Amino acid sequence: MTENTGQDAESPMQVVHFLLYGEERLPFRLVRRGTARGSIRIAVTPQGEIIVTADAATSLEAVEDVLQQRVRWLLETRERFQAQRAHALPRRFVGGETHFYLGRRHQLRIVDESEGKHVRLLRGRLVVPSRYPWSEEPAVLASRTEEIRRRLEAWYRQRAEDVLPQYFERMLPLVPWADRPPLRLVRMKARWGSCTPQGVVLLNPDLVRAPRHCIEYVILHELCHLREHRHSPFFWQLLAQVCPDWQARRAELDSMAEIWLGKEETGVLSVRGSV
């Protein structure tokens, strides 16, 4: 059953259909792209949207048959994403809370400033000093929370400035068309990275919270934009050459973004767009 269609200057034809499963109607977006003849790719976004990519010659019936065979996987994947999102709670900056660095969990430990004035990573814990003792008095508690948040964010920013350029340098030899473009760290609300029309690569400093292989994917994605700025079939071919498993890395970024960042928003950070 067809619901609506959509197409823009850079996007392939996309049509929303419904798959009947018992009494449930599962919507899925069918994207027609120049993939290998007969190949069908199925993806589930963190928001629960089912996206199927197929070439123009593949019939809707063939697509629905494949989905029917994978319907249990589709439902289980959607439920898993829902469970992950349920744990994506906003940060409170209290002792014992989990924070991420390079994809690994680290418990927050609050100490008195007498033990040192700098945030440090120590035996799997993020140790943050505070001048304010624990107190239930609202004003003191608010000041303590803000101080911890500010010091931790400054530490993450410093780590991003140290680490992300290193990964950038490591990825450059894999992309022969990239002649050492400028790199800037810019906090972005809805992207992990971007590439400007002038050839400046932008990375979100929050990317330092993600695993190493995801950081590499974002950088390679943006470096491919130096040769092809649009998300055209040629762009995806370039990306597949330098990062063959890019789809798995992007799926991990999309599915875990809110947990890594501990944000309340429902939007997902991605690298699907360019400035």
Side-chain angles (χ1 to χ4, degrees):
M1 176 179 178
T2 300
E3 184 72 9
N4 67 286
T5 63
Q7 188 176 31
D8 59 36
E10 297 188 7
S11 300
M13 179 62 71
Q14 304 182 21
V15 185
V16 176
H17 301 274
F18 288 88
L19 179 71
L20 297 179
Y21 180 67
E23 297 182 356
E24 188 172 2
R25 296 166 72 244
L26 299 176
F28 67 93
R29 182 154 52 95
L30 179 57
V31 181
R32 297 292 188 177
R33 179 177 280 138
T35 56
R37 184 178 179 85
S39 67
I40 298 174
R41 186 172 72 242
I42 305 171
V44 181
T45 72
Q47 289 74 32
E49 183 184 15
I50 300 171
I51 302 176
V52 183
T53 304
D55 67 287
T58 302
S59 68
L60 176 60
E61 290 74 17
V63 170
E64 291 177 337
D65 286 344
V66 171
L67 288 175
Q68 287 287 357
Q69 296 171 20
R70 302 296 301 276
V71 69
R72 185 176 297 277
W73 173 82
L74 291 171
L75 295 175
E76 290 176 350
T77 302
R78 290 203 315 179
E79 292 175 0
R80 176 165 55 85
F81 282 152
Q82 289 174 358
Q84 289 176 344
R85 290 172 63 82
H87 290 87
L89 301 175
R91 300 294 186 216
R92 296 186 298 129
F93 300 98
V94 295
E97 188 175 64
T98 296
H99 290 254
F100 287 82
Y101 174 62
L102 295 180
R104 293 188 177 182
R105 297 175 182 267
H106 299 283
Q107 276 195 339
L108 195 61
R109 181 186 171 208
I110 314 300
V111 298
D112 187 83
E113 264 194 348
S114 61
E115 296 187 31
K117 294 188 177 182
H118 299 287
V119 177
R120 59 192 188 278
L121 192 58
L122 183 64
R123 293 191 290 275
R125 293 188 177 185
L126 273 170
V127 182
V128 183
S130 174
R131 76 187 78 173
Y132 299 97
W134 168 258
S135 172
E136 294 184 357
E137 203 281 314
V140 177
L141 183 59
S143 296
R144 174 184 167 95
T145 300
E146 176 59 21
E147 178 192 43
I148 294 168
R149 184 200 65 78
R150 185 167 36 80
R151 287 187 171 182
L152 195 56
E153 288 299 318
W155 180 83
Y156 271 115
R157 178 73 192 198
Q158 184 59 57
R159 295 309 303 150
E161 291 175 355
D162 292 342
V163 171
L164 295 183
Q166 295 179 25
Y167 281 93
F168 187 72
E169 289 294 327
R170 294 175 194 171
M171 295 301 102
L172 283 176
L174 301 179
V175 187
W177 56 83
D179 187 17
R180 197 170 296 279
L183 171 66
R184 291 174 53 201
L185 302 187
V186 179
R187 189 173 298 278
M188 294 172 273
K189 290 184 178 181
R191 296 174 185 170
W192 288 114
S194 187
C195 181
T196 73
Q198 294 74 33
V200 179
V201 174
L202 310 178
L203 295 179
N204 191 328
D206 283 331
L207 189 59
V208 78
R209 304 173 192 250
R212 293 173 172 84
H213 58 277
C214 291
I215 296 174
E216 293 171 352
Y217 156 68
V218 173
I219 293 172
L220 289 172
H221 182 116
E222 302 311 331
L223 289 175
C224 286
H225 276 309
L226 294 173
R227 188 168 181 184
E228 172 56 74
H229 200 70
R230 299 179 306 123
H231 285 127
S232 65
F234 178 59
F235 170 84
W236 299 115
Q237 292 172 10
L238 286 176
L239 184 58
Q241 291 175 16
V242 298
C243 187
D245 62 342
W246 67 266
Q247 291 170 311
R249 301 192 194 198
R250 186 174 75 174
E252 185 175 356
L253 269 171
D254 286 350
S255 66
M256 296 296 291
E258 290 177 81
I259 294 178
W260 289 331
L261 298 173
K263 290 187 179 293
E264 227 174 350
E265 299 92 49
T266 57
V268 175
L269 295 170
S270 72
V271 291
R272 296 193 181 100
S274 296
V275 174

